Amino acid sequence: MIKLEHVKKSFGRLEVLHDVSLSIDDGSVVVILGPSGSGKTTLLRSINFLEKADYGTLEIGGKTVDLHSAKKKEILDIRKRTAMVFQNYGLFANKTVLQNITEGLIVARNVPKEKAEERARLELRKVGLSDKENYYPSQLSGGQQQRVGIARAVALDSEVILFDEPTSALDPELVGETLSLIKQVAREGHTMIVVTHEMSFAEDVADKVVFMDGGFVVEEGKPGDIFYSPKEERTKKFLSRILPPSDYVI
């Protein structure tokens, strides 16, 4: 179980997260939806300390840390328990595909190089990029780079994988193949928190959908309940703008 409790975050005078609490069951997929500026990405980045929250706690793997005052050792421990897939791929430009995947295993997990490369090649086979292990990111398409990012996250064997709008930087024709890959990762039983605007993906894969707006968790529940019988007016208004009228039922 992963628990976030009473998370708050401001950038100057702008309060981005207002007392957000959330729980994620082991092995489940949670999709976070909401308009731009609703705090989705900030919440995700606060989980692994890419952003430092002003207040709140995180419990993961039976360990609870204060998101504001966590010590360096605690932060490193949380980062070992999490993996992140970024919307802009987040690959090291000066490292090959293989090195991009092995870096975290060798440096952060102390995995011997030979074992790290063996695991990296296994994940590259899964994402269909075995023939690209010696390529650099600049030699890959956006979709291929994102597949490397996903392979890197899965290879770390983290307790939770965080996806920050993983298809937003892709050309439309590449979105489908990336979502299919993420679905495959979900079927392997990984705990996942996914920030996305892809409604069909959320409906197909999520165990729970969380709708955020204005820094608040407005509503959460099973995909069918959120999409087709939302309780909150803010949720209804958001969905009415993005779902086809024939699909939207109140």
Side-chain angles (χ1 to χ4, degrees), residues 1-242:
M1 171 81 70
I2 299 166
K3 286 186 179 179
L4 290 160
E5 294 191 329
H6 307 298
V7 181
K8 300 178 182 179
K9 173 65 180 178
S10 296
F11 294 103
R13 295 183 179 181
L14 177 63
E15 191 170 5
V16 179
L17 296 175
H18 303 268
D19 197 21
V20 173
S21 295
L22 192 62
S23 64
I24 298 98
D25 292 331
D26 290 340
S28 68
V29 179
V30 173
V31 169
I32 304 178
L33 305 174
S36 298
S38 60
K40 309 182 301 295
T41 291
T42 299
L43 180 64
L44 204 67
R45 291 171 64 87
S46 296
I47 292 174
N48 67 348
F49 292 92
L50 291 175
E51 297 288 354
K52 187 176 182 180
D54 300 321
Y55 189 83
T57 61
L58 166 66
E59 179 185 340
I60 180 171
K63 180 182 179 63
T64 301
V65 297
D66 188 298
L67 289 172
H68 181 69
S69 61
K71 302 294 188 289
K72 183 177 180 180
K73 183 177 179 181
E74 292 177 308
I75 293 173
L76 290 174
D77 181 61
I78 293 299
R79 286 178 173 167
K80 287 181 180 179
R81 296 170 183 267
T82 62
M84 188 115 175
V85 177
F86 300 90
Q87 56 182 296
N88 62 348
Y89 322 133
L91 302 180
F92 298 110
N94 63 336
K95 294 184 182 296
T96 66
V97 163
L98 189 69
Q99 291 168 337
N100 263 280
I101 300 175
T102 60
E103 181 78 3
L105 291 169
I106 296 169
V107 176
R109 306 294 171 87
N110 297 314
V111 177
K113 182 179 178 182
E114 184 177 334
K115 290 285 187 182
E117 290 183 347
E118 181 182 334
R119 181 57 191 270
R121 290 187 174 109
L122 171 63
E123 297 306 331
L124 283 173
R125 282 199 298 274
K126 289 183 182 179
V127 301
L129 292 176
S130 292
D131 60 336
K132 298 291 192 294
E133 69 171 60
N134 293 316
Y135 283 48
Y136 287 88
S138 62
Q139 297 173 294
L140 304 177
S141 69
Q144 289 172 330
Q145 290 185 63
Q146 193 59 291
R147 280 191 271 163
V148 174
I150 293 169
R152 176 177 61 183
V154 174
L156 290 170
D157 277 332
S158 299
E159 293 179 37
V160 58
I161 304 177
L162 311 171
F163 292 83
D164 181 18
E165 301 199 29
T167 61
S168 66
L170 298 177
D171 292 334
E173 64 267 23
L174 300 176
V175 170
E177 69 177 39
T178 302
L179 291 176
S180 295
L181 177 56
I182 297 172
K183 290 178 183 179
Q184 176 185 318
V185 173
R187 286 193 294 269
E188 293 175 359
H190 296 279
T191 305
M192 296 165 44
I193 306 175
V194 186
V195 170
T196 184
H197 293 289
E198 300 291 339
M199 299 297 107
S200 60
F201 169 82
E203 187 173 3
D204 289 346
V205 178
D207 298 294
K208 179 164 69 175
V209 171
V210 177
F211 173 65
M212 292 185 65
D213 192 16
F216 293 94
V217 172
V218 176
E219 189 169 356
E220 59 181 278
K222 294 180 179 180
D225 295 335
I226 297 297
F227 291 147
Y228 304 116
S229 55
K231 296 181 176 64
E232 302 296 328
E233 287 301 321
R234 288 160 78 183
T235 314
K236 293 176 183 178
K237 184 176 180 180
F238 174 75
L239 292 173
S240 69
R241 294 198 301 264
I242 61 174

